[in-house]
Amino acid sequence: MNKLRTAFAAAAAAALGLAALATAPAQAAGQPAFLAASQMPPASTSWTATQVFTGVPENGGVLCAPYKIPAQNTRYREFNTELDTNGVQVTTVARTEADAVKLVDTLRTALAGCGPLLERQNPGLQAVSASHGKLAVEEGAWVYSLDTADPQIGTSDIHLFSVGRDGRTVTLVRWGQMGDLKDAPLTAFRTTTKTAVNKLH
C-alpha cells in the first residue's frame, strides 16, 4: 500500500508543479481533445490540470494497466486538487479500429482483475475491483472501481476507472482519493467519462 500511495503522491506532485500550465494552448489540429480540469468530478477544492504530454504517464498514473497502453500515438494529462484527490486521462490512437477494440478489451480485463492482482503482489493488502457497467457514448465506455485497504497501516483508497472508444481512439480516465467506494462520486465520474469520450473527436 505504501508503494501505491507513494506512486500516486509522486504523480500528484508532478501535477502541482505544472499547475501553471493548466491553461495550456488548445490541442493541435487533428489530435484527440482532453478533459479540462473543470470537467473532473466535483471536489472540495478546485482541480488543476497539466499540459498534455506525449507518451504514457510514469509514477503509477495508470494503476492496474501500467504496461497495457502503447507509448506510440499516446498522450496524457494529469489532474490534481489541493487535497488528496488526483486523476489522469490517457488517450491513444490505434493503427486500426480492430486494434482499438483489442486494446479496450485488454484494458477492461486488467481493470476487472486488478484487485486480486494487487493482493497477490502486496501481502496483507485488501483490494476489491468492481464493474459499474457500460455507458452509451460513441462506441461505448465501461466504468470500474478499485477499493484498497491496508489494515496494518490503517489506510484506505478508492479509485474509479473508465475505458471508452471512439473509432480508432481509446481513452482511459482514472480518479482517486483516500476513502472507500461510498465516498466516490460514481455518478459524476460517469458524466466525466461521457464528456471525455465525446471530446475525443
Side-chain angles (χ1 to χ4, degrees), residues 60-76:
V62 285
L63 177 70
C64 296
Y67 306 110
K68 306 299 183 183
I69 303 175
Q72 185 175 8
N73 296 325
T74 297
R75 298 156 76 230
Y76 70 96

Side-chain angles (χ1 to χ4, degrees), residues 93-116:
V93 180
R95 186 176 57 87
T96 66
E97 189 160 348
D99 288 341
V101 171
K102 183 177 180 179
L103 177 58
V104 168
D105 290 344
T106 298
L107 292 173
R108 291 185 59 202
T109 299
L111 295 174
C114 188

Side-chain angles (χ1 to χ4, degrees), residues 57-91:
E58 299 178 353
N59 301 320
V62 285
L63 177 70
C64 296
Y67 306 110
K68 306 299 183 183
I69 303 175
Q72 185 175 8
N73 296 325
T74 297
R75 298 156 76 230
Y76 70 96
R77 165 174 279 174
E78 296 174 322
F79 303 88
N80 210 314
T81 69
E82 293 180 4
L83 299 178
D84 197 46
T85 310
N86 58 82
V88 66
Q89 180 184 6
V90 185
T91 297

Side-chain angles (χ1 to χ4, degrees), residues 11-165:
L16 284 173
L18 293 165
L21 298 173
T23 56
Q27 305 296 320
Q31 291 277 20
F34 278 72
L35 290 165
S38 61
Q39 293 169 322
M40 291 294 282
S44 56
T45 58
S46 298
W47 287 94
T48 57
T50 68
Q51 66 181 356
V52 175
F53 297 100
T54 300
V56 293
E58 299 178 353
N59 301 320
V62 285
L63 177 70
C64 296
Y67 306 110
K68 306 299 183 183
I69 303 175
Q72 185 175 8
N73 296 325
T74 297
R75 298 156 76 230
Y76 70 96
R77 165 174 279 174
E78 296 174 322
F79 303 88
N80 210 314
T81 69
E82 293 180 4
L83 299 178
D84 197 46
T85 310
N86 58 82
V88 66
Q89 180 184 6
V90 185
T91 297
T92 187
V93 180
R95 186 176 57 87
T96 66
E97 189 160 348
D99 288 341
V101 171
K102 183 177 180 179
L103 177 58
V104 168
D105 290 344
T106 298
L107 292 173
R108 291 185 59 202
T109 299
L111 295 174
C114 188
L117 175 63
L118 290 178
E119 287 186 336
R120 290 194 298 271
Q121 294 175 339
N122 302 272
L125 180 71
Q126 299 173 357
V128 178
S129 293
S131 172
H132 299 279
K134 181 180 180 180
L135 303 178
V137 55
E138 297 300 339
E139 275 71 63
W142 293 263
V143 177
Y144 299 85
S145 64
L146 172 67
D147 202 340
T148 61
D150 190 327
Q152 292 184 341
I153 301 176
T155 58
S156 61
D157 294 275
I158 179 66
H159 300 281
L160 300 177
F161 302 87
S162 61
V163 178
R165 182 174 69 88

